[in-house]
Amino acid sequence: MKSRFLRGMSHGIPIALGYLSVSFGFGIAAARCGLSVFTASVISASNLTSAGQAAGIDIIAAGGALIEMILVQLTINIRYSLMAISLSQKLDSSFTTPHRLAASYGITDEIFAVCSAQKEPLTPAYMYGMILVAFMGWVSGTAMGVSAGQLLPPSISSAMGIVLYGMFLAIIIPPSKRQKNVLFAVLLAAGVSVLMRYVFTMVSGGFAVIISAVAASALAAVIFPVKDDGEAAEE
Amino acid sequence: MSVAVYIMVMAGVTYLIRMIPFTFFRKKIKSGFFRSFLYYIPYAVLSAMTIPAILYSTGNIVTAVAGTIAAVVLAYFDLPLIVVALAASGTAFVTGLFL
């Protein structure tokens, strides 16, 4: 039990290091939205996700509708449902319902990736260890980012505003380079998003993301259906 | 509206998205279209969130374009997420020094 927890913690260290700087960027963005260290830290502690939080604070800053918040979080974070389904297939028998209720909180892209790569069935202790370390990196980075956003000169804090977007590009570009179906979805989503921004300006930012992503994914799913391994079926 | 309400809604939705399938799902999705759709969603979401918003992320379009170019090039060569993210920011900062 204890060794599994420690093993999870050690596997969580690289995740936490990555989270530190990304959540630092989120903290800076939160400071620009006028949020306090406490508020931003509560958001990070209760959500534990990058893209959803980044979109969420924009909605808070803009005073958007709650339905917009719900739909934006659904659209941006729906990928976690897929990851949760995938992980649910390889859980150890010690993973009872209360453990599932608790550990599901910590399903992020990176934790999913590391857990999926494990050969043996996943135990609650292992996931808790990893989630704890990742959580500490995510929340402490957020707190430092907000403080820095309030203290650092504008030349530095404004340059940090691009950190999260840089990470998003690093997630979408490598698979786009290798798979034309992913490239199609990425370019189409970007194209629709640009149209929303400059032509259909009555659509708010959150809904623009939803419309762009749903339209691009649906069309990509029709033109390039995927097999289980993610490659387009025609290829 | 209170910020606390936004945060509760945001956290609640995000938790349910993870919790419901993790706790209750025992079968595989059969619909090929739905599986494909869910496969493309993360890429499409991140792309739509990034473009064109990245151009306004630093408050100056010139530094943002420089940072974006750095990120695209480094990501194309498969550098780690953190390297790409920090290099984008570093490039935007250095570019700002010359303006």
PDB file of all heavy atoms in Angstrom, chain B residues 15-39:
ATOM      1  N   TYR B  15     -15.706  18.019 -12.526  1.00  0.00           N
ATOM      2  CA  TYR B  15     -15.646  16.780 -11.733  1.00  0.00           C
ATOM      3  C   TYR B  15     -16.594  15.723 -12.291  1.00  0.00           C
ATOM      4  O   TYR B  15     -16.224  14.555 -12.442  1.00  0.00           O
ATOM      5  CB  TYR B  15     -15.971  17.075 -10.262  1.00  0.00           C
ATOM      6  CG  TYR B  15     -16.043  15.820  -9.417  1.00  0.00           C
ATOM      7  CD1 TYR B  15     -14.900  15.052  -9.182  1.00  0.00           C
ATOM      8  CD2 TYR B  15     -17.249  15.375  -8.873  1.00  0.00           C
ATOM      9  CE1 TYR B  15     -14.963  13.889  -8.432  1.00  0.00           C
ATOM     10  CE2 TYR B  15     -17.317  14.221  -8.125  1.00  0.00           C
ATOM     11  CZ  TYR B  15     -16.174  13.482  -7.910  1.00  0.00           C
ATOM     12  OH  TYR B  15     -16.235  12.318  -7.176  1.00  0.00           O
ATOM     13  N   LEU B  16     -17.833  16.127 -12.611  1.00  0.00           N
ATOM     14  CA  LEU B  16     -18.817  15.158 -13.109  1.00  0.00           C
ATOM     15  C   LEU B  16     -18.359  14.517 -14.420  1.00  0.00           C
ATOM     16  O   LEU B  16     -18.572  13.320 -14.641  1.00  0.00           O
ATOM     17  CB  LEU B  16     -20.184  15.834 -13.299  1.00  0.00           C
ATOM     18  CG  LEU B  16     -20.899  16.233 -12.003  1.00  0.00           C
ATOM     19  CD1 LEU B  16     -22.181  16.972 -12.308  1.00  0.00           C
ATOM     20  CD2 LEU B  16     -21.174  15.005 -11.130  1.00  0.00           C
ATOM     21  N   ILE B  17     -17.721  15.318 -15.273  1.00  0.00           N
ATOM     22  CA  ILE B  17     -17.223  14.799 -16.553  1.00  0.00           C
ATOM     23  C   ILE B  17     -16.242  13.656 -16.315  1.00  0.00           C
ATOM     24  O   ILE B  17     -16.202  12.667 -17.042  1.00  0.00           O
ATOM     25  CB  ILE B  17     -16.528  15.935 -17.337  1.00  0.00           C
ATOM     26  CG1 ILE B  17     -17.565  16.897 -17.886  1.00  0.00           C
ATOM     27  CG2 ILE B  17     -15.652  15.379 -18.455  1.00  0.00           C
ATOM     28  CD1 ILE B  17     -16.965  18.179 -18.424  1.00  0.00           C
ATOM     29  N   ARG B  18     -15.426  13.788 -15.261  1.00  0.00           N
ATOM     30  CA  ARG B  18     -14.443  12.746 -14.954  1.00  0.00           C
ATOM     31  C   ARG B  18     -15.073  11.611 -14.153  1.00  0.00           C
ATOM     32  O   ARG B  18     -14.782  10.441 -14.372  1.00  0.00           O
ATOM     33  CB  ARG B  18     -13.310  13.353 -14.123  1.00  0.00           C
ATOM     34  CG  ARG B  18     -12.435  14.311 -14.876  1.00  0.00           C
ATOM     35  CD  ARG B  18     -11.659  15.179 -13.902  1.00  0.00           C
ATOM     36  NE  ARG B  18     -10.500  15.809 -14.535  1.00  0.00           N
ATOM     37  CZ  ARG B  18      -9.923  16.910 -14.067  1.00  0.00           C
ATOM     38  NH1 ARG B  18     -10.389  17.488 -12.977  1.00  0.00           N
ATOM     39  NH2 ARG B  18      -8.881  17.425 -14.666  1.00  0.00           N
ATOM     40  N   MET B  19     -15.910  11.988 -13.196  1.00  0.00           N
ATOM     41  CA  MET B  19     -16.405  11.007 -12.229  1.00  0.00           C
ATOM     42  C   MET B  19     -17.401  10.024 -12.830  1.00  0.00           C
ATOM     43  O   MET B  19     -17.296   8.815 -12.589  1.00  0.00           O
ATOM     44  CB  MET B  19     -17.029  11.744 -11.037  1.00  0.00           C
ATOM     45  CG  MET B  19     -17.501  10.863  -9.916  1.00  0.00           C
ATOM     46  SD  MET B  19     -19.138  10.173 -10.196  1.00  0.00           S
ATOM     47  CE  MET B  19     -20.164  11.555  -9.700  1.00  0.00           C
ATOM     48  N   ILE B  20     -18.367  10.529 -13.599  1.00  0.00           N
ATOM     49  CA  ILE B  20     -19.441   9.646 -14.080  1.00  0.00           C
ATOM     50  C   ILE B  20     -18.902   8.475 -14.907  1.00  0.00           C
ATOM     51  O   ILE B  20     -19.178   7.320 -14.588  1.00  0.00           O
ATOM     52  CB  ILE B  20     -20.526  10.456 -14.836  1.00  0.00           C
ATOM     53  CG1 ILE B  20     -21.255  11.370 -13.830  1.00  0.00           C
ATOM     54  CG2 ILE B  20     -21.505   9.536 -15.532  1.00  0.00           C
ATOM     55  CD1 ILE B  20     -22.201  12.359 -14.470  1.00  0.00           C
ATOM     56  N   PRO B  21     -18.097   8.749 -15.944  1.00  0.00           N
ATOM     57  CA  PRO B  21     -17.594   7.595 -16.703  1.00  0.00           C
ATOM     58  C   PRO B  21     -16.628   6.723 -15.885  1.00  0.00           C
ATOM     59  O   PRO B  21     -16.652   5.501 -16.007  1.00  0.00           O
ATOM     60  CB  PRO B  21     -16.879   8.215 -17.906  1.00  0.00           C
ATOM     61  CG  PRO B  21     -16.764   9.653 -17.635  1.00  0.00           C
ATOM     62  CD  PRO B  21     -17.706  10.027 -16.556  1.00  0.00           C
ATOM     63  N   PHE B  22     -15.808   7.345 -15.043  1.00  0.00           N
ATOM     64  CA  PHE B  22     -14.814   6.573 -14.287  1.00  0.00           C
ATOM     65  C   PHE B  22     -15.492   5.639 -13.292  1.00  0.00           C
ATOM     66  O   PHE B  22     -15.033   4.532 -13.030  1.00  0.00           O
ATOM     67  CB  PHE B  22     -13.884   7.532 -13.539  1.00  0.00           C
ATOM     68  CG  PHE B  22     -12.607   6.906 -13.036  1.00  0.00           C
ATOM     69  CD1 PHE B  22     -11.674   6.403 -13.928  1.00  0.00           C
ATOM     70  CD2 PHE B  22     -12.329   6.837 -11.681  1.00  0.00           C
ATOM     71  CE1 PHE B  22     -10.491   5.847 -13.490  1.00  0.00           C
ATOM     72  CE2 PHE B  22     -11.145   6.277 -11.227  1.00  0.00           C
ATOM     73  CZ  PHE B  22     -10.227   5.789 -12.138  1.00  0.00           C
ATOM     74  N   THR B  23     -16.600   6.092 -12.721  1.00  0.00           N
ATOM     75  CA  THR B  23     -17.263   5.308 -11.680  1.00  0.00           C
ATOM     76  C   THR B  23     -18.262   4.310 -12.249  1.00  0.00           C
ATOM     77  O   THR B  23     -18.372   3.181 -11.765  1.00  0.00           O
ATOM     78  CB  THR B  23     -18.001   6.264 -10.708  1.00  0.00           C
ATOM     79  OG1 THR B  23     -17.071   7.235 -10.241  1.00  0.00           O
ATOM     80  CG2 THR B  23     -18.560   5.493  -9.522  1.00  0.00           C
ATOM     81  N   PHE B  24     -18.974   4.721 -13.299  1.00  0.00           N
ATOM     82  CA  PHE B  24     -20.095   3.894 -13.741  1.00  0.00           C
ATOM     83  C   PHE B  24     -19.883   3.184 -15.071  1.00  0.00           C
ATOM     84  O   PHE B  24     -20.648   2.302 -15.421  1.00  0.00           O
ATOM     85  CB  PHE B  24     -21.371   4.752 -13.817  1.00  0.00           C
ATOM     86  CG  PHE B  24     -21.715   5.395 -12.504  1.00  0.00           C
ATOM     87  CD1 PHE B  24     -21.543   6.750 -12.301  1.00  0.00           C
ATOM     88  CD2 PHE B  24     -22.177   4.612 -11.446  1.00  0.00           C
ATOM     89  CE1 PHE B  24     -21.840   7.340 -11.080  1.00  0.00           C
ATOM     90  CE2 PHE B  24     -22.486   5.192 -10.226  1.00  0.00           C
ATOM     91  CZ  PHE B  24     -22.318   6.555 -10.041  1.00  0.00           C
ATOM     92  N   PHE B  25     -18.879   3.598 -15.808  1.00  0.00           N
ATOM     93  CA  PHE B  25     -18.746   3.021 -17.145  1.00  0.00           C
ATOM     94  C   PHE B  25     -18.041   1.669 -17.103  1.00  0.00           C
ATOM     95  O   PHE B  25     -16.979   1.532 -16.551  1.00  0.00           O
ATOM     96  CB  PHE B  25     -17.984   3.966 -18.064  1.00  0.00           C
ATOM     97  CG  PHE B  25     -18.330   3.756 -19.497  1.00  0.00           C
ATOM     98  CD1 PHE B  25     -19.405   4.410 -20.054  1.00  0.00           C
ATOM     99  CD2 PHE B  25     -17.604   2.881 -20.286  1.00  0.00           C
ATOM    100  CE1 PHE B  25     -19.750   4.205 -21.376  1.00  0.00           C
ATOM    101  CE2 PHE B  25     -17.944   2.667 -21.596  1.00  0.00           C
ATOM    102  CZ  PHE B  25     -19.016   3.334 -22.145  1.00  0.00           C
ATOM    103  N   ARG B  26     -18.657   0.662 -17.698  1.00  0.00           N
ATOM    104  CA  ARG B  26     -18.020  -0.662 -17.728  1.00  0.00           C
ATOM    105  C   ARG B  26     -17.937  -1.214 -19.142  1.00  0.00           C
ATOM    106  O   ARG B  26     -17.340  -2.226 -19.374  1.00  0.00           O
ATOM    107  CB  ARG B  26     -18.787  -1.656 -16.853  1.00  0.00           C
ATOM    108  CG  ARG B  26     -19.220  -1.126 -15.498  1.00  0.00           C
ATOM    109  CD  ARG B  26     -18.140  -1.250 -14.436  1.00  0.00           C
ATOM    110  NE  ARG B  26     -18.388  -0.315 -13.351  1.00  0.00           N
ATOM    111  CZ  ARG B  26     -18.016  -0.522 -12.092  1.00  0.00           C
ATOM    112  NH1 ARG B  26     -17.400  -1.607 -11.742  1.00  0.00           N
ATOM    113  NH2 ARG B  26     -18.263   0.391 -11.181  1.00  0.00           N
ATOM    114  N   LYS B  27     -18.604  -0.551 -20.102  1.00  0.00           N
ATOM    115  CA  LYS B  27     -18.604  -1.082 -21.478  1.00  0.00           C
ATOM    116  C   LYS B  27     -17.857  -0.145 -22.410  1.00  0.00           C
ATOM    117  O   LYS B  27     -17.470   0.950 -22.062  1.00  0.00           O
ATOM    118  CB  LYS B  27     -20.042  -1.235 -21.984  1.00  0.00           C
ATOM    119  CG  LYS B  27     -20.798  -2.385 -21.349  1.00  0.00           C
ATOM    120  CD  LYS B  27     -22.118  -2.599 -22.073  1.00  0.00           C
ATOM    121  CE  LYS B  27     -23.283  -2.582 -21.110  1.00  0.00           C
ATOM    122  NZ  LYS B  27     -24.545  -2.234 -21.753  1.00  0.00           N
ATOM    123  N   LYS B  28     -17.712  -0.583 -23.648  1.00  0.00           N
ATOM    124  CA  LYS B  28     -17.035   0.228 -24.658  1.00  0.00           C
ATOM    125  C   LYS B  28     -18.047   0.960 -25.525  1.00  0.00           C
ATOM    126  O   LYS B  28     -19.112   0.428 -25.841  1.00  0.00           O
ATOM    127  CB  LYS B  28     -16.194  -0.674 -25.557  1.00  0.00           C
ATOM    128  CG  LYS B  28     -14.711  -0.419 -25.416  1.00  0.00           C
ATOM    129  CD  LYS B  28     -13.918  -1.084 -26.520  1.00  0.00           C
ATOM    130  CE  LYS B  28     -12.747  -0.198 -26.913  1.00  0.00           C
ATOM    131  NZ  LYS B  28     -12.053  -0.648 -28.090  1.00  0.00           N
ATOM    132  N   ILE B  29     -17.688   2.197 -25.939  1.00  0.00           N
ATOM    133  CA  ILE B  29     -18.553   2.934 -26.867  1.00  0.00           C
ATOM    134  C   ILE B  29     -18.534   2.237 -28.216  1.00  0.00           C
ATOM    135  O   ILE B  29     -17.469   1.936 -28.747  1.00  0.00           O
ATOM    136  CB  ILE B  29     -18.071   4.385 -27.019  1.00  0.00           C
ATOM    137  CG1 ILE B  29     -18.218   5.120 -25.687  1.00  0.00           C
ATOM    138  CG2 ILE B  29     -18.839   5.112 -28.113  1.00  0.00           C
ATOM    139  CD1 ILE B  29     -17.669   6.519 -25.711  1.00  0.00           C
ATOM    140  N   LYS B  30     -19.711   1.978 -28.768  1.00  0.00           N
ATOM    141  CA  LYS B  30     -19.776   1.236 -30.037  1.00  0.00           C
ATOM    142  C   LYS B  30     -19.851   2.148 -31.257  1.00  0.00           C
ATOM    143  O   LYS B  30     -19.343   1.818 -32.307  1.00  0.00           O
ATOM    144  CB  LYS B  30     -20.995   0.291 -30.022  1.00  0.00           C
ATOM    145  CG  LYS B  30     -20.851  -0.833 -28.999  1.00  0.00           C
ATOM    146  CD  LYS B  30     -21.440  -2.143 -29.512  1.00  0.00           C
ATOM    147  CE  LYS B  30     -21.139  -3.291 -28.567  1.00  0.00           C
ATOM    148  NZ  LYS B  30     -21.956  -3.197 -27.329  1.00  0.00           N
ATOM    149  N   SER B  31     -20.527   3.301 -31.110  1.00  0.00           N
ATOM    150  CA  SER B  31     -20.705   4.183 -32.266  1.00  0.00           C
ATOM    151  C   SER B  31     -19.366   4.679 -32.808  1.00  0.00           C
ATOM    152  O   SER B  31     -18.600   5.342 -32.106  1.00  0.00           O
ATOM    153  CB  SER B  31     -21.557   5.390 -31.862  1.00  0.00           C
ATOM    154  OG  SER B  31     -21.322   6.466 -32.747  1.00  0.00           O
ATOM    155  N   GLY B  32     -19.100   4.337 -34.053  1.00  0.00           N
ATOM    156  CA  GLY B  32     -17.849   4.753 -34.673  1.00  0.00           C
ATOM    157  C   GLY B  32     -17.773   6.264 -34.813  1.00  0.00           C
ATOM    158  O   GLY B  32     -16.722   6.867 -34.591  1.00  0.00           O
ATOM    159  N   PHE B  33     -18.921   6.878 -35.147  1.00  0.00           N
ATOM    160  CA  PHE B  33     -18.912   8.333 -35.305  1.00  0.00           C
ATOM    161  C   PHE B  33     -18.608   9.017 -33.974  1.00  0.00           C
ATOM    162  O   PHE B  33     -17.775   9.914 -33.895  1.00  0.00           O
ATOM    163  CB  PHE B  33     -20.266   8.837 -35.827  1.00  0.00           C
ATOM    164  CG  PHE B  33     -20.377  10.334 -35.801  1.00  0.00           C
ATOM    165  CD1 PHE B  33     -19.772  11.097 -36.779  1.00  0.00           C
ATOM    166  CD2 PHE B  33     -21.040  10.982 -34.763  1.00  0.00           C
ATOM    167  CE1 PHE B  33     -19.836  12.489 -36.745  1.00  0.00           C
ATOM    168  CE2 PHE B  33     -21.111  12.369 -34.713  1.00  0.00           C
ATOM    169  CZ  PHE B  33     -20.512  13.115 -35.721  1.00  0.00           C
ATOM    170  N   PHE B  34     -19.268   8.562 -32.911  1.00  0.00           N
ATOM    171  CA  PHE B  34     -19.072   9.202 -31.607  1.00  0.00           C
ATOM    172  C   PHE B  34     -17.631   9.022 -31.106  1.00  0.00           C
ATOM    173  O   PHE B  34     -17.026   9.937 -30.565  1.00  0.00           O
ATOM    174  CB  PHE B  34     -20.080   8.634 -30.604  1.00  0.00           C
ATOM    175  CG  PHE B  34     -20.167   9.425 -29.340  1.00  0.00           C
ATOM    176  CD1 PHE B  34     -20.400  10.793 -29.374  1.00  0.00           C
ATOM    177  CD2 PHE B  34     -20.011   8.812 -28.106  1.00  0.00           C
ATOM    178  CE1 PHE B  34     -20.472  11.537 -28.200  1.00  0.00           C
ATOM    179  CE2 PHE B  34     -20.080   9.550 -26.929  1.00  0.00           C
ATOM    180  CZ  PHE B  34     -20.307  10.913 -26.981  1.00  0.00           C
ATOM    181  N   ARG B  35     -17.092   7.820 -31.319  1.00  0.00           N
ATOM    182  CA  ARG B  35     -15.700   7.577 -30.922  1.00  0.00           C
ATOM    183  C   ARG B  35     -14.756   8.500 -31.686  1.00  0.00           C
ATOM    184  O   ARG B  35     -13.834   9.079 -31.118  1.00  0.00           O
ATOM    185  CB  ARG B  35     -15.320   6.119 -31.187  1.00  0.00           C
ATOM    186  CG  ARG B  35     -15.721   5.137 -30.116  1.00  0.00           C
ATOM    187  CD  ARG B  35     -14.629   4.090 -29.888  1.00  0.00           C
ATOM    188  NE  ARG B  35     -14.060   3.590 -31.125  1.00  0.00           N
ATOM    189  CZ  ARG B  35     -14.552   2.563 -31.812  1.00  0.00           C
ATOM    190  NH1 ARG B  35     -15.586   1.917 -31.350  1.00  0.00           N
ATOM    191  NH2 ARG B  35     -13.984   2.171 -32.923  1.00  0.00           N
ATOM    192  N   SER B  36     -14.995   8.630 -32.991  1.00  0.00           N
ATOM    193  CA  SER B  36     -14.140   9.488 -33.815  1.00  0.00           C
ATOM    194  C   SER B  36     -14.281  10.948 -33.370  1.00  0.00           C
ATOM    195  O   SER B  36     -13.290  11.667 -33.225  1.00  0.00           O
ATOM    196  CB  SER B  36     -14.524   9.365 -35.290  1.00  0.00           C
ATOM    197  OG  SER B  36     -14.445   8.027 -35.705  1.00  0.00           O
ATOM    198  N   PHE B  37     -15.522  11.354 -33.144  1.00  0.00           N
ATOM    199  CA  PHE B  37     -15.793  12.720 -32.713  1.00  0.00           C
ATOM    200  C   PHE B  37     -15.025  13.038 -31.425  1.00  0.00           C
ATOM    201  O   PHE B  37     -14.341  14.058 -31.314  1.00  0.00           O
ATOM    202  CB  PHE B  37     -17.300  12.883 -32.501  1.00  0.00           C
ATOM    203  CG  PHE B  37     -17.720  14.213 -31.969  1.00  0.00           C
ATOM    204  CD1 PHE B  37     -17.770  15.317 -32.800  1.00  0.00           C
ATOM    205  CD2 PHE B  37     -18.067  14.358 -30.637  1.00  0.00           C
ATOM    206  CE1 PHE B  37     -18.159  16.555 -32.312  1.00  0.00           C
ATOM    207  CE2 PHE B  37     -18.460  15.595 -30.149  1.00  0.00           C
ATOM    208  CZ  PHE B  37     -18.502  16.692 -30.987  1.00  0.00           C
ATOM    209  N   LEU B  38     -15.099  12.131 -30.457  1.00  0.00           N
ATOM    210  CA  LEU B  38     -14.413  12.347 -29.181  1.00  0.00           C
ATOM    211  C   LEU B  38     -12.901  12.332 -29.354  1.00  0.00           C
ATOM    212  O   LEU B  38     -12.176  12.994 -28.617  1.00  0.00           O
ATOM    213  CB  LEU B  38     -14.827  11.275 -28.165  1.00  0.00           C
ATOM    214  CG  LEU B  38     -16.258  11.394 -27.647  1.00  0.00           C
ATOM    215  CD1 LEU B  38     -16.562  10.248 -26.688  1.00  0.00           C
ATOM    216  CD2 LEU B  38     -16.476  12.724 -26.957  1.00  0.00           C
ATOM    217  N   TYR B  39     -12.443  11.581 -30.336  1.00  0.00           N
ATOM    218  CA  TYR B  39     -10.997  11.531 -30.595  1.00  0.00           C
ATOM    219  C   TYR B  39     -10.489  12.895 -31.074  1.00  0.00           C
ATOM    220  O   TYR B  39      -9.414  13.345 -30.677  1.00  0.00           O
ATOM    221  CB  TYR B  39     -10.696  10.460 -31.648  1.00  0.00           C
ATOM    222  CG  TYR B  39      -9.261  10.452 -32.084  1.00  0.00           C
ATOM    223  CD1 TYR B  39      -8.266   9.893 -31.282  1.00  0.00           C
ATOM    224  CD2 TYR B  39      -8.883  11.034 -33.299  1.00  0.00           C
ATOM    225  CE1 TYR B  39      -6.945   9.904 -31.673  1.00  0.00           C
ATOM    226  CE2 TYR B  39      -7.566  11.046 -33.702  1.00  0.00           C
ATOM    227  CZ  TYR B  39      -6.595  10.483 -32.886  1.00  0.00           C
ATOM    228  OH  TYR B  39      -5.290  10.506 -33.274  1.00  0.00           O
TER     229      TYR B  39
END
